[in-house]
């Protein structure tokens, strides 16, 4: 059975996250459905494996999945067939045939996320599902000074939501940037790392916004890493602004 790797984009506003759940619409559920349809609904259902379990309302430009088909189909034909069957809020960007030992989630990889934040005084109806919103004045220089404190390998227990189920809260962040777009009334945060905890990026954004408003000291991230106490991080940014941008493999 050939194994296929695919890069998937989706608008997360219509899904209860990536992972299959009972009685709700998920990205993995829709992908399972069309992959099995393409395989002519085999007796043993095919399960699509995803690299990242994005949450309700979170979007993706570069989610990676893998699945096996019971017969050999050219990668270009698989891409065309899946895109024909999928709903319009999911698109297969690329498909390739890979080795049988490739695993989207467990193979060593590196992830890049970005977070879009609207700074308009009121919520823009055309951005409400695709950006977070924060209308209080921000000191961008304070945020820029704080960002390097996230870099490196740390125990990010203070930045993990209560639903986190990983064995360790130690993660390595290799990039933490901010792009200010005053003409568009938007700010974009960019984070890269080997992996991220449940809600970690949204909690980090929340902390950075409080630093930008002066509610926290510039280097309060260092203290939060030391105390390992989620309650002290407080604010979690809205899911609508988070995008899984790219996953690269060793």
């Amino acid at each position: 059975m050939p194994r296929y790797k695919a890069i998937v984009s989706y608008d997360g506003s219509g899904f209860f996250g990536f992972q299959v759940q009972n009685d709700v619409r998920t990205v993995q559920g829709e992908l399972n459905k069309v992959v099995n349809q393409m395989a002519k609904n085999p007796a043993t259902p095919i399960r699509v494996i995803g690299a990242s379990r994005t949450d309700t309302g979170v979007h993706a430009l570069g989610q990676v999945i893998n699945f096996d088909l019971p017969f050999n189909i050219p990668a270009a034909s698989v891409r065309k067939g899946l895109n024909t069957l999928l709903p319009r809020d999911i698109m297969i960007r690329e498909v390739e045939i890979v080795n049988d030992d490739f695993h989207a989630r467990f193979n060593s990889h590196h992830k890049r996320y970005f977070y879009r934040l609207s700074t308009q005084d009121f919520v823009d109806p055309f951005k409400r599902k695709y950006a977070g919103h924060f209308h209080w004045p921000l000191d961008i220089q304070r945020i820029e000074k704080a960002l390097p404190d996230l870099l490196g390998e740390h125990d990010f227990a203070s930045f993990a939501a209560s639903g986190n189920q990983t064995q360790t809260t130690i993660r390595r962040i290799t990039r933490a940037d901010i792009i200010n777009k005053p003409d568009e009334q938007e700010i974009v945060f960019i984070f890269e790392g080997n992996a991220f905890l449940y809600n970690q990026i949204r909690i980090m954004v929340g902390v950075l916004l409080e630093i930008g408003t002066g509610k926290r000291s510039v280097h309060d991230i260092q203290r939060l890493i030391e105390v390992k106490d989620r309650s002290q991080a407080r604010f979690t940014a809205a899911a609508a602004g988070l995008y899984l941008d790219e996953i690269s493999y060793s």
Side-chain angles (χ1 to χ4, degrees), residues 191-203:
F191 301 99
E192 295 183 13
N194 63 334
F196 293 93
L197 301 166
Y198 181 46
N199 283 357
Q200 180 181 346
I201 293 175
R202 293 165 56 195
I203 295 168

Side-chain angles (χ1 to χ4, degrees), residues 134 136-140 142-143 207-216:
F134 196 84
W136 290 275
L138 286 169
D139 185 331
I140 301 300
R142 286 176 60 87
I143 296 174
V207 168
L208 290 165
L209 293 177
E210 290 192 333
I211 289 172
T213 59
K215 290 182 178 180
R216 295 180 183 272

